[in-house]
Structures are given as structure tokens and as C-alpha cells.
Coordinates of all heavy atoms in Angstrom, one line a residue:
W49 N 8.1 -3.3 11.7 CA 8.0 -2.0 12.4 C 8.0 -0.9 11.4 O 7.3 0.1 11.6 CB 9.2 -1.9 13.4 CG 8.9 -2.6 14.7 CD1 9.4 -3.9 15.1 CD2 8.1 -2.2 15.8 NE1 9.0 -4.2 16.3 CE2 8.2 -3.2 16.8 CE3 7.3 -1.1 16.0 CZ2 7.5 -3.1 18.0 CZ3 6.6 -0.9 17.2 CH2 6.7 -1.9 18.2
V50 N 8.9 -1.0 10.4 CA 9.0 0.1 9.4 C 7.6 0.3 8.7 O 7.1 1.4 8.6 CB 10.1 -0.2 8.4 CG1 10.0 0.8 7.2 CG2 11.4 -0.1 9.0
I51 N 7.0 -0.8 8.3 CA 5.7 -0.7 7.6 C 4.6 -0.2 8.5 O 3.8 0.7 8.1 CB 5.4 -2.1 7.0 CG1 6.3 -2.5 5.9 CG2 3.9 -2.1 6.5 CD1 6.3 -1.6 4.7
S52 N 4.6 -0.7 9.7 CA 3.5 -0.3 10.7 C 3.6 1.2 11.0 O 2.6 1.9 11.0 CB 3.5 -1.2 11.9 OG 3.3 -2.5 11.6
I53 N 4.8 1.7 11.4 CA 5.0 3.1 11.8 C 4.7 4.0 10.6 O 4.0 5.0 10.7 CB 6.4 3.3 12.3 CG1 6.5 2.5 13.7 CG2 6.6 4.8 12.5 CD1 8.0 2.5 14.2
L54 N 5.2 3.6 9.4 CA 4.9 4.4 8.2 C 3.5 4.5 7.9 O 2.9 5.6 7.6 CB 5.7 3.8 7.0 CG 5.6 4.5 5.7 CD1 6.1 6.0 5.8 CD2 6.3 3.8 4.6
T55 N 2.8 3.4 8.0 CA 1.3 3.3 7.8 C 0.6 4.2 8.8 O -0.4 4.9 8.4 CB 0.8 1.9 7.8 OG1 1.5 1.1 6.9 CG2 -0.7 1.8 7.6
F56 N 0.9 4.1 10.1 CA 0.3 4.8 11.1 C 0.3 6.3 10.9 O -0.8 7.0 11.0 CB 0.9 4.5 12.5 CG 0.3 5.1 13.7 CD1 -0.8 4.6 14.3 CD2 0.8 6.3 14.2 CE1 -1.4 5.2 15.4 CE2 0.3 6.9 15.3 CZ -0.8 6.3 15.9
F57 N 1.4 6.9 10.6 CA 1.5 8.3 10.5 C 1.0 8.8 9.1 O 0.5 9.9 9.0 CB 2.9 8.8 10.8 CG 3.3 8.7 12.2 CD1 4.1 7.7 12.7 CD2 2.8 9.6 13.1 CE1 4.4 7.6 14.0 CE2 3.1 9.6 14.4 CZ 3.9 8.6 14.9
L58 N 1.2 8.0 8.1 CA 0.8 8.3 6.7 C -0.8 8.4 6.7 O -1.4 9.2 6.1 CB 1.3 7.3 5.7 CG 1.1 7.7 4.2 CD1 1.8 9.0 3.9 CD2 1.6 6.6 3.3
S59 N -1.4 7.5 7.4 CA -2.9 7.4 7.5 C -3.5 8.6 8.1 O -4.6 9.0 7.8 CB -3.3 6.1 8.2 OG -4.3 6.2 9.0
A60 N -2.8 9.2 9.1 CA -3.2 10.4 9.7 C -3.2 11.6 8.8 O -4.0 12.6 8.9 CB -2.4 10.7 11.0
L61 N -2.2 11.6 7.9 CA -2.0 12.7 6.9 C -2.9 12.5 5.7 O -3.5 13.5 5.3 CB -0.6 12.7 6.4 CG -0.2 13.7 5.4 CD1 -0.3 15.1 6.0 CD2 1.3 13.5 4.9
L62 N -3.1 11.3 5.2 CA -4.0 11.1 4.1 C -5.3 10.7 4.7 O -6.1 11.4 5.2 CB -3.4 10.0 3.2 CG -2.0 10.3 2.6 CD1 -1.5 9.1 1.8 CD2 -2.0 11.5 1.8
D63 N -5.6 9.4 4.6 CA -6.8 8.7 5.2 C -6.5 7.2 5.2 O -5.6 6.8 4.5 CB -8.1 9.0 4.5 CG -8.2 8.4 3.2 OD1 -8.6 7.2 3.1 OD2 -7.9 9.1 2.2
N64 N -7.2 6.5 6.1 CA -6.8 5.1 6.2 C -7.0 4.2 5.0 O -6.2 3.4 4.7 CB -7.6 4.4 7.4 CG -9.1 4.7 7.3 OD1 -9.6 5.2 6.3 ND2 -9.8 4.5 8.4
M65 N -8.0 4.5 4.2 CA -8.2 3.7 2.9 C -7.1 4.0 1.9 O -6.5 3.1 1.3 CB -9.6 4.0 2.3 CG -9.9 3.2 1.1 SD -11.6 3.4 0.5 CE -11.5 5.1 0.0
T66 N -6.8 5.3 1.7 CA -5.8 5.6 0.7 C -4.5 5.1 1.1 O -3.7 4.6 0.3 CB -5.7 7.1 0.5 OG1 -7.0 7.6 0.2 CG2 -4.8 7.5 -0.6
T67 N -4.2 5.2 2.4 CA -2.9 4.7 2.9 C -2.8 3.2 2.8 O -1.7 2.7 2.4 CB -2.8 5.1 4.4 OG1 -2.8 6.5 4.6 CG2 -1.4 4.6 5.0
A68 N -3.8 2.5 3.0 CA -3.8 1.1 2.9 C -3.5 0.7 1.4 O -2.7 -0.2 1.2 CB -5.1 0.4 3.3
I69 N -4.1 1.4 0.5 CA -3.9 1.1 -0.9 C -2.4 1.3 -1.3 O -1.8 0.5 -2.0 CB -4.8 2.0 -1.8 CG1 -6.3 1.6 -1.6 CG2 -4.4 1.8 -3.3 CD1 -7.3 2.5 -2.3
V70 N -1.9 2.5 -0.8 CA -0.5 2.8 -1.1 C 0.5 1.7 -0.5 O 1.4 1.3 -1.1 CB -0.1 4.2 -0.5 CG1 1.4 4.4 -0.6 CG2 -0.9 5.3 -1.3
M71 N 0.2 1.3 0.8 CA 1.1 0.4 1.4 C 1.0 -1.0 0.8 O 2.1 -1.7 0.8 CB 0.7 0.3 2.9 CG 1.0 1.6 3.7 SD 2.6 2.4 3.4 CE 3.6 1.1 4.1
I72 N -0.1 -1.4 0.4 CA -0.2 -2.7 -0.3 C 0.6 -2.7 -1.6 O 1.3 -3.7 -1.9 CB -1.6 -3.1 -0.6 CG1 -2.4 -3.3 0.7 CG2 -1.7 -4.4 -1.4 CD1 -1.8 -4.4 1.6
A73 N 0.6 -1.6 -2.3 CA 1.4 -1.4 -3.5 C 2.9 -1.6 -3.2 O 3.7 -2.2 -3.9 CB 1.1 -0.1 -4.2

């Protein structure tokens, strides 16, 4: 839940590709 919610809102602020790269790291 923490990872999914963080990704969801971070991706709206950045973009989905950049957010995915950050979250995998």
C-alpha cells in the first residue's frame, strides 16, 4: 500500500516513467 500510493501521487507530479525509475531504485 505504501509503495502503490506513493507511486500513484508521485507519478502525477513527475511523470509515470520517471516515477517508475525512482520507485524501482
Side-chain angles (χ1 to χ4, degrees):
W49 279 103
V50 170
I51 292 297
S52 298
I53 293 173
L54 181 60
T55 303
F56 181 82
F57 288 103
L58 190 60
S59 138
L61 179 63
L62 304 176
D63 67 87
N64 48 14
M65 181 176 66
T66 305
T67 300
I69 295 171
V70 171
M71 295 310 297
I72 294 304

